[in-house]
Amino acid sequence: MQIAFIGLGNMGGGMAANLVKAGHDVNAFDLSEEALATAKANGCATFTDAAEAVQGVDGVVTMLPNGGIVKSVYEGSVIGKAPEGAVLLDCSTIDVATAKEVIARAEAAGYDMVDAPVSGGIAAANGGTLTFMVGGTDKAFGRAEEVLNAMGKAVIHAGDAGAGQTAKICNNMLLAITMIGTTEAMTMAKKLGLDPQKFYEISSVSSGYCWPLNAYTPMPGVGVESPADKGYQGGFATALMLKDLRLAMEAADSVDAKTALGRHATEIYEAFAEENGGLDFSAVIKTL
Ligand code: NAD
């Protein structure tokens, strides 16, 4: 397929390279010259205008910072510019309302479009092992699947337009809550004189079992190897977790969903991110 890829940052750069590796012809566009130079070295054709990059393509993939930018790129450079038969895939993490709005506009103009946010960070984007949670019609999902398979290890149809973003923010709200809970329990056990490694050995096979404790242990030298063992470098940045929590709270308010712990987790990450936005989100243990 011929695919336009817009947004070649930390995530999009590796994803576009994996489309090339899978045999697709990729037209790359980004505002950053450095990102374009990397895309060129990875085998993409590069463009200095998004509307030109989408000419004649079979599909368009976007991986952009936020909903405002996604909306302006689709309205200004994709809808009405890409061929009508093209399938459109937005892989950015954005608010549910904007995702639904952009998809509705694309559909009204005759396109099939999905929201397809990802789970997995930069390493998974580079390695082609992302998980995609996809919202859209059965037809749009069926068309998007081939493109997504080239960039990920799992592609799951979550439901209608916006369902991918909903799955992503609900998952990450749960992750923030369980991470904070895990750090509190481990720190409290230590303060009470229990060896944290013993606590890990017991709780990880008891009812305290959860992903932060079992697969991402947030205390250095305890449990499995994780960013905690590398000074909380790498992993999933606190600033990105905060972005997702804010999107989750906005979505919760829009449907009057009660999220007492999600809101408290957001407040904790807001305070922590002021000086630690670049650290892995498990570094929130430092606040205890
Ligand atoms: P990034 O800032 O590294 O990349 C964004 C890219 O978009 C930049 O290269 C920027 O120049 C480009 N861009 C901005 N405005 C543009 C425009 N109008 N036209 C063309 N290009 C434009 O961000 P990232 O880490 O790659 O994240 C991208 C998306 O993926 C975000 O929505 C983020 O929430 C999501 N995400 C990131 C991670 C992660 O670990 N980094 C994990 C999961 C999801």
PDB file of all heavy atoms in Angstrom, residues 230-261:
ATOM      1  N   LYS A 230      16.877   1.469  37.143  1.00  0.00           N
ATOM      2  CA  LYS A 230      17.704   2.348  36.291  1.00  0.00           C
ATOM      3  C   LYS A 230      17.454   3.810  36.664  1.00  0.00           C
ATOM      4  O   LYS A 230      17.393   4.673  35.788  1.00  0.00           O
ATOM      5  CB  LYS A 230      17.350   2.123  34.814  1.00  0.00           C
ATOM      6  CG  LYS A 230      17.606   0.713  34.326  1.00  0.00           C
ATOM      7  CD  LYS A 230      17.019   0.501  32.934  1.00  0.00           C
ATOM      8  CE  LYS A 230      16.815  -0.971  32.658  1.00  0.00           C
ATOM      9  NZ  LYS A 230      15.554  -1.259  31.961  1.00  0.00           N
ATOM     10  N   GLY A 231      17.269   4.073  37.943  1.00  0.00           N
ATOM     11  CA  GLY A 231      17.045   5.455  38.386  1.00  0.00           C
ATOM     12  C   GLY A 231      15.770   6.050  37.818  1.00  0.00           C
ATOM     13  O   GLY A 231      15.668   7.260  37.653  1.00  0.00           O
ATOM     14  N   TYR A 232      14.805   5.210  37.513  1.00  0.00           N
ATOM     15  CA  TYR A 232      13.497   5.632  36.969  1.00  0.00           C
ATOM     16  C   TYR A 232      13.633   6.335  35.610  1.00  0.00           C
ATOM     17  O   TYR A 232      12.800   7.151  35.244  1.00  0.00           O
ATOM     18  CB  TYR A 232      12.725   6.516  37.982  1.00  0.00           C
ATOM     19  CG  TYR A 232      12.422   5.758  39.255  1.00  0.00           C
ATOM     20  CD1 TYR A 232      13.231   5.914  40.389  1.00  0.00           C
ATOM     21  CD2 TYR A 232      11.376   4.855  39.320  1.00  0.00           C
ATOM     22  CE1 TYR A 232      12.985   5.190  41.550  1.00  0.00           C
ATOM     23  CE2 TYR A 232      11.115   4.131  40.480  1.00  0.00           C
ATOM     24  CZ  TYR A 232      11.932   4.302  41.589  1.00  0.00           C
ATOM     25  OH  TYR A 232      11.692   3.568  42.728  1.00  0.00           O
ATOM     26  N   GLN A 233      14.686   5.980  34.882  1.00  0.00           N
ATOM     27  CA  GLN A 233      14.843   6.499  33.517  1.00  0.00           C
ATOM     28  C   GLN A 233      14.169   5.521  32.551  1.00  0.00           C
ATOM     29  O   GLN A 233      14.064   4.336  32.838  1.00  0.00           O
ATOM     30  CB  GLN A 233      16.330   6.628  33.144  1.00  0.00           C
ATOM     31  CG  GLN A 233      17.114   7.577  34.052  1.00  0.00           C
ATOM     32  CD  GLN A 233      16.580   8.999  34.006  1.00  0.00           C
ATOM     33  OE1 GLN A 233      16.233   9.507  32.942  1.00  0.00           O
ATOM     34  NE2 GLN A 233      16.497   9.646  35.167  1.00  0.00           N
ATOM     35  N   GLY A 234      13.745   6.041  31.376  1.00  0.00           N
ATOM     36  CA  GLY A 234      13.069   5.179  30.388  1.00  0.00           C
ATOM     37  C   GLY A 234      11.667   4.860  30.865  1.00  0.00           C
ATOM     38  O   GLY A 234      11.137   5.523  31.753  1.00  0.00           O
ATOM     39  N   GLY A 235      11.060   3.839  30.297  1.00  0.00           N
ATOM     40  CA  GLY A 235       9.704   3.449  30.717  1.00  0.00           C
ATOM     41  C   GLY A 235       8.643   4.401  30.207  1.00  0.00           C
ATOM     42  O   GLY A 235       8.732   4.907  29.084  1.00  0.00           O
ATOM     43  N   PHE A 236       7.651   4.686  31.046  1.00  0.00           N
ATOM     44  CA  PHE A 236       6.492   5.509  30.651  1.00  0.00           C
ATOM     45  C   PHE A 236       6.563   6.802  31.478  1.00  0.00           C
ATOM     46  O   PHE A 236       6.372   6.777  32.704  1.00  0.00           O
ATOM     47  CB  PHE A 236       5.206   4.716  30.931  1.00  0.00           C
ATOM     48  CG  PHE A 236       3.940   5.421  30.548  1.00  0.00           C
ATOM     49  CD1 PHE A 236       3.822   6.131  29.354  1.00  0.00           C
ATOM     50  CD2 PHE A 236       2.832   5.369  31.385  1.00  0.00           C
ATOM     51  CE1 PHE A 236       2.633   6.775  29.010  1.00  0.00           C
ATOM     52  CE2 PHE A 236       1.645   6.000  31.050  1.00  0.00           C
ATOM     53  CZ  PHE A 236       1.552   6.710  29.858  1.00  0.00           C
ATOM     54  N   ALA A 237       6.834   7.912  30.791  1.00  0.00           N
ATOM     55  CA  ALA A 237       7.093   9.173  31.494  1.00  0.00           C
ATOM     56  C   ALA A 237       5.885   9.642  32.303  1.00  0.00           C
ATOM     57  O   ALA A 237       4.736   9.525  31.857  1.00  0.00           O
ATOM     58  CB  ALA A 237       7.513  10.247  30.504  1.00  0.00           C
ATOM     59  N   THR A 238       6.178  10.192  33.479  1.00  0.00           N
ATOM     60  CA  THR A 238       5.147  10.770  34.352  1.00  0.00           C
ATOM     61  C   THR A 238       4.300  11.794  33.592  1.00  0.00           C
ATOM     62  O   THR A 238       3.077  11.836  33.755  1.00  0.00           O
ATOM     63  CB  THR A 238       5.851  11.433  35.562  1.00  0.00           C
ATOM     64  OG1 THR A 238       6.437  10.388  36.339  1.00  0.00           O
ATOM     65  CG2 THR A 238       4.893  12.236  36.410  1.00  0.00           C
ATOM     66  N   ALA A 239       4.929  12.624  32.755  1.00  0.00           N
ATOM     67  CA  ALA A 239       4.181  13.660  32.019  1.00  0.00           C
ATOM     68  C   ALA A 239       3.149  13.035  31.089  1.00  0.00           C
ATOM     69  O   ALA A 239       2.047  13.582  30.913  1.00  0.00           O
ATOM     70  CB  ALA A 239       5.149  14.528  31.219  1.00  0.00           C
ATOM     71  N   LEU A 240       3.488  11.882  30.486  1.00  0.00           N
ATOM     72  CA  LEU A 240       2.530  11.223  29.583  1.00  0.00           C
ATOM     73  C   LEU A 240       1.404  10.568  30.389  1.00  0.00           C
ATOM     74  O   LEU A 240       0.241  10.579  29.960  1.00  0.00           O
ATOM     75  CB  LEU A 240       3.244  10.189  28.710  1.00  0.00           C
ATOM     76  CG  LEU A 240       4.120  10.783  27.604  1.00  0.00           C
ATOM     77  CD1 LEU A 240       4.910   9.690  26.898  1.00  0.00           C
ATOM     78  CD2 LEU A 240       3.289  11.560  26.590  1.00  0.00           C
ATOM     79  N   MET A 241       1.750  10.007  31.564  1.00  0.00           N
ATOM     80  CA  MET A 241       0.693   9.454  32.428  1.00  0.00           C
ATOM     81  C   MET A 241      -0.261  10.564  32.841  1.00  0.00           C
ATOM     82  O   MET A 241      -1.484  10.392  32.821  1.00  0.00           O
ATOM     83  CB  MET A 241       1.307   8.764  33.656  1.00  0.00           C
ATOM     84  CG  MET A 241       0.271   8.306  34.667  1.00  0.00           C
ATOM     85  SD  MET A 241      -1.041   7.266  33.951  1.00  0.00           S
ATOM     86  CE  MET A 241      -0.405   5.623  34.280  1.00  0.00           C
ATOM     87  N   LEU A 242       0.285  11.734  33.171  1.00  0.00           N
ATOM     88  CA  LEU A 242      -0.573  12.854  33.579  1.00  0.00           C
ATOM     89  C   LEU A 242      -1.473  13.289  32.427  1.00  0.00           C
ATOM     90  O   LEU A 242      -2.661  13.579  32.622  1.00  0.00           O
ATOM     91  CB  LEU A 242       0.295  14.020  34.068  1.00  0.00           C
ATOM     92  CG  LEU A 242      -0.473  15.261  34.519  1.00  0.00           C
ATOM     93  CD1 LEU A 242      -1.466  14.938  35.635  1.00  0.00           C
ATOM     94  CD2 LEU A 242       0.501  16.348  34.991  1.00  0.00           C
ATOM     95  N   LYS A 243      -0.916  13.313  31.205  1.00  0.00           N
ATOM     96  CA  LYS A 243      -1.739  13.664  30.034  1.00  0.00           C
ATOM     97  C   LYS A 243      -2.939  12.717  29.945  1.00  0.00           C
ATOM     98  O   LYS A 243      -4.081  13.151  29.777  1.00  0.00           O
ATOM     99  CB  LYS A 243      -0.891  13.559  28.748  1.00  0.00           C
ATOM    100  CG  LYS A 243      -1.713  13.702  27.488  1.00  0.00           C
ATOM    101  CD  LYS A 243      -0.963  13.335  26.216  1.00  0.00           C
ATOM    102  CE  LYS A 243      -1.947  13.228  25.050  1.00  0.00           C
ATOM    103  NZ  LYS A 243      -1.322  12.931  23.772  1.00  0.00           N
ATOM    104  N   ASP A 244      -2.681  11.407  30.084  1.00  0.00           N
ATOM    105  CA  ASP A 244      -3.758  10.420  29.953  1.00  0.00           C
ATOM    106  C   ASP A 244      -4.770  10.548  31.091  1.00  0.00           C
ATOM    107  O   ASP A 244      -5.980  10.397  30.885  1.00  0.00           O
ATOM    108  CB  ASP A 244      -3.174   8.997  29.908  1.00  0.00           C
ATOM    109  CG  ASP A 244      -2.367   8.759  28.637  1.00  0.00           C
ATOM    110  OD1 ASP A 244      -2.347   9.649  27.768  1.00  0.00           O
ATOM    111  OD2 ASP A 244      -1.740   7.693  28.522  1.00  0.00           O
ATOM    112  N   LEU A 245      -4.278  10.848  32.306  1.00  0.00           N
ATOM    113  CA  LEU A 245      -5.197  11.009  33.450  1.00  0.00           C
ATOM    114  C   LEU A 245      -6.098  12.225  33.253  1.00  0.00           C
ATOM    115  O   LEU A 245      -7.286  12.185  33.574  1.00  0.00           O
ATOM    116  CB  LEU A 245      -4.401  11.146  34.753  1.00  0.00           C
ATOM    117  CG  LEU A 245      -3.833   9.842  35.300  1.00  0.00           C
ATOM    118  CD1 LEU A 245      -2.830  10.110  36.414  1.00  0.00           C
ATOM    119  CD2 LEU A 245      -4.946   8.926  35.807  1.00  0.00           C
ATOM    120  N   ARG A 246      -5.538  13.294  32.705  1.00  0.00           N
ATOM    121  CA  ARG A 246      -6.368  14.485  32.458  1.00  0.00           C
ATOM    122  C   ARG A 246      -7.428  14.188  31.403  1.00  0.00           C
ATOM    123  O   ARG A 246      -8.580  14.615  31.527  1.00  0.00           O
ATOM    124  CB  ARG A 246      -5.485  15.661  32.028  1.00  0.00           C
ATOM    125  CG  ARG A 246      -4.739  16.267  33.211  1.00  0.00           C
ATOM    126  CD  ARG A 246      -3.762  17.333  32.780  1.00  0.00           C
ATOM    127  NE  ARG A 246      -3.269  18.088  33.918  1.00  0.00           N
ATOM    128  CZ  ARG A 246      -2.122  18.745  33.941  1.00  0.00           C
ATOM    129  NH1 ARG A 246      -1.331  18.751  32.869  1.00  0.00           N
ATOM    130  NH2 ARG A 246      -1.740  19.414  35.006  1.00  0.00           N
ATOM    131  N   LEU A 247      -7.062  13.434  30.367  1.00  0.00           N
ATOM    132  CA  LEU A 247      -8.049  13.033  29.357  1.00  0.00           C
ATOM    133  C   LEU A 247      -9.127  12.160  30.008  1.00  0.00           C
ATOM    134  O   LEU A 247     -10.316  12.275  29.691  1.00  0.00           O
ATOM    135  CB  LEU A 247      -7.374  12.263  28.215  1.00  0.00           C
ATOM    136  CG  LEU A 247      -6.452  13.060  27.288  1.00  0.00           C
ATOM    137  CD1 LEU A 247      -5.737  12.131  26.317  1.00  0.00           C
ATOM    138  CD2 LEU A 247      -7.232  14.136  26.531  1.00  0.00           C
ATOM    139  N   ALA A 248      -8.699  11.282  30.924  1.00  0.00           N
ATOM    140  CA  ALA A 248      -9.658  10.395  31.605  1.00  0.00           C
ATOM    141  C   ALA A 248     -10.633  11.208  32.450  1.00  0.00           C
ATOM    142  O   ALA A 248     -11.843  10.943  32.446  1.00  0.00           O
ATOM    143  CB  ALA A 248      -8.912   9.379  32.476  1.00  0.00           C
ATOM    144  N   MET A 249     -10.131  12.219  33.168  1.00  0.00           N
ATOM    145  CA  MET A 249     -11.013  13.025  34.032  1.00  0.00           C
ATOM    146  C   MET A 249     -12.003  13.844  33.191  1.00  0.00           C
ATOM    147  O   MET A 249     -13.169  13.988  33.549  1.00  0.00           O
ATOM    148  CB  MET A 249     -10.171  13.953  34.921  1.00  0.00           C
ATOM    149  CG  MET A 249      -9.363  13.231  35.988  1.00  0.00           C
ATOM    150  SD  MET A 249     -10.364  12.119  37.021  1.00  0.00           S
ATOM    151  CE  MET A 249     -10.062  10.541  36.256  1.00  0.00           C
ATOM    152  N   GLU A 250     -11.515  14.345  32.044  1.00  0.00           N
ATOM    153  CA  GLU A 250     -12.390  15.103  31.131  1.00  0.00           C
ATOM    154  C   GLU A 250     -13.523  14.185  30.634  1.00  0.00           C
ATOM    155  O   GLU A 250     -14.696  14.567  30.622  1.00  0.00           O
ATOM    156  CB  GLU A 250     -11.513  15.535  29.952  1.00  0.00           C
ATOM    157  CG  GLU A 250     -11.989  16.684  29.123  1.00  0.00           C
ATOM    158  CD  GLU A 250     -10.990  16.938  27.990  1.00  0.00           C
ATOM    159  OE1 GLU A 250      -9.757  16.951  28.227  1.00  0.00           O
ATOM    160  OE2 GLU A 250     -11.450  17.085  26.845  1.00  0.00           O
ATOM    161  N   ALA A 251     -13.151  12.957  30.262  1.00  0.00           N
ATOM    162  CA  ALA A 251     -14.149  12.007  29.759  1.00  0.00           C
ATOM    163  C   ALA A 251     -15.108  11.602  30.877  1.00  0.00           C
ATOM    164  O   ALA A 251     -16.322  11.488  30.649  1.00  0.00           O
ATOM    165  CB  ALA A 251     -13.454  10.773  29.177  1.00  0.00           C
ATOM    166  N   ALA A 252     -14.586  11.406  32.085  1.00  0.00           N
ATOM    167  CA  ALA A 252     -15.439  11.024  33.224  1.00  0.00           C
ATOM    168  C   ALA A 252     -16.480  12.106  33.468  1.00  0.00           C
ATOM    169  O   ALA A 252     -17.672  11.817  33.645  1.00  0.00           O
ATOM    170  CB  ALA A 252     -14.584  10.800  34.475  1.00  0.00           C
ATOM    171  N   ASP A 253     -16.031  13.363  33.459  1.00  0.00           N
ATOM    172  CA  ASP A 253     -16.965  14.482  33.696  1.00  0.00           C
ATOM    173  C   ASP A 253     -18.058  14.524  32.626  1.00  0.00           C
ATOM    174  O   ASP A 253     -19.206  14.844  32.921  1.00  0.00           O
ATOM    175  CB  ASP A 253     -16.209  15.818  33.697  1.00  0.00           C
ATOM    176  CG  ASP A 253     -15.362  15.985  34.949  1.00  0.00           C
ATOM    177  OD1 ASP A 253     -15.602  15.245  35.918  1.00  0.00           O
ATOM    178  OD2 ASP A 253     -14.447  16.838  34.945  1.00  0.00           O
ATOM    179  N   SER A 254     -17.675  14.193  31.384  1.00  0.00           N
ATOM    180  CA  SER A 254     -18.633  14.316  30.274  1.00  0.00           C
ATOM    181  C   SER A 254     -19.802  13.340  30.404  1.00  0.00           C
ATOM    182  O   SER A 254     -20.854  13.554  29.812  1.00  0.00           O
ATOM    183  CB  SER A 254     -17.928  14.124  28.925  1.00  0.00           C
ATOM    184  OG  SER A 254     -17.644  12.760  28.714  1.00  0.00           O
ATOM    185  N   VAL A 255     -19.624  12.256  31.192  1.00  0.00           N
ATOM    186  CA  VAL A 255     -20.714  11.276  31.357  1.00  0.00           C
ATOM    187  C   VAL A 255     -21.096  11.108  32.829  1.00  0.00           C
ATOM    188  O   VAL A 255     -21.773  10.153  33.199  1.00  0.00           O
ATOM    189  CB  VAL A 255     -20.341   9.901  30.740  1.00  0.00           C
ATOM    190  CG1 VAL A 255     -20.281   9.993  29.225  1.00  0.00           C
ATOM    191  CG2 VAL A 255     -19.018   9.371  31.293  1.00  0.00           C
ATOM    192  N   ASP A 256     -20.598  12.036  33.675  1.00  0.00           N
ATOM    193  CA  ASP A 256     -20.867  12.005  35.106  1.00  0.00           C
ATOM    194  C   ASP A 256     -20.484  10.656  35.730  1.00  0.00           C
ATOM    195  O   ASP A 256     -21.230  10.091  36.534  1.00  0.00           O
ATOM    196  CB  ASP A 256     -22.355  12.330  35.371  1.00  0.00           C
ATOM    197  CG  ASP A 256     -22.591  12.719  36.824  1.00  0.00           C
ATOM    198  OD1 ASP A 256     -21.623  13.163  37.481  1.00  0.00           O
ATOM    199  OD2 ASP A 256     -23.729  12.566  37.310  1.00  0.00           O
ATOM    200  N   ALA A 257     -19.326  10.117  35.335  1.00  0.00           N
ATOM    201  CA  ALA A 257     -18.831   8.871  35.940  1.00  0.00           C
ATOM    202  C   ALA A 257     -18.108   9.227  37.236  1.00  0.00           C
ATOM    203  O   ALA A 257     -17.340  10.181  37.274  1.00  0.00           O
ATOM    204  CB  ALA A 257     -17.872   8.169  34.979  1.00  0.00           C
ATOM    205  N   LYS A 258     -18.366   8.465  38.287  1.00  0.00           N
ATOM    206  CA  LYS A 258     -17.715   8.721  39.578  1.00  0.00           C
ATOM    207  C   LYS A 258     -16.337   8.056  39.577  1.00  0.00           C
ATOM    208  O   LYS A 258     -16.234   6.843  39.414  1.00  0.00           O
ATOM    209  CB  LYS A 258     -18.568   8.145  40.717  1.00  0.00           C
ATOM    210  CG  LYS A 258     -19.966   8.736  40.777  1.00  0.00           C
ATOM    211  CD  LYS A 258     -19.997  10.078  41.502  1.00  0.00           C
ATOM    212  CE  LYS A 258     -21.370  10.703  41.498  1.00  0.00           C
ATOM    213  NZ  LYS A 258     -21.667  11.484  40.274  1.00  0.00           N
ATOM    214  N   THR A 259     -15.284   8.860  39.758  1.00  0.00           N
ATOM    215  CA  THR A 259     -13.920   8.324  39.722  1.00  0.00           C
ATOM    216  C   THR A 259     -13.106   8.942  40.858  1.00  0.00           C
ATOM    217  O   THR A 259     -12.117   9.639  40.613  1.00  0.00           O
ATOM    218  CB  THR A 259     -13.236   8.641  38.374  1.00  0.00           C
ATOM    219  OG1 THR A 259     -13.307  10.074  38.181  1.00  0.00           O
ATOM    220  CG2 THR A 259     -13.893   7.957  37.203  1.00  0.00           C
ATOM    221  N   ALA A 260     -13.522   8.661  42.101  1.00  0.00           N
ATOM    222  CA  ALA A 260     -12.852   9.280  43.253  1.00  0.00           C
ATOM    223  C   ALA A 260     -11.350   8.972  43.250  1.00  0.00           C
ATOM    224  O   ALA A 260     -10.516   9.862  43.456  1.00  0.00           O
ATOM    225  CB  ALA A 260     -13.508   8.798  44.549  1.00  0.00           C
ATOM    226  N   LEU A 261     -10.999   7.702  43.017  1.00  0.00           N
ATOM    227  CA  LEU A 261      -9.579   7.337  43.060  1.00  0.00           C
ATOM    228  C   LEU A 261      -8.843   7.844  41.819  1.00  0.00           C
ATOM    229  O   LEU A 261      -7.681   8.247  41.892  1.00  0.00           O
ATOM    230  CB  LEU A 261      -9.421   5.821  43.198  1.00  0.00           C
ATOM    231  CG  LEU A 261      -9.846   5.255  44.553  1.00  0.00           C
ATOM    232  CD1 LEU A 261      -9.549   3.758  44.622  1.00  0.00           C
ATOM    233  CD2 LEU A 261      -9.146   5.965  45.702  1.00  0.00           C
TER     234      LEU A 261
END
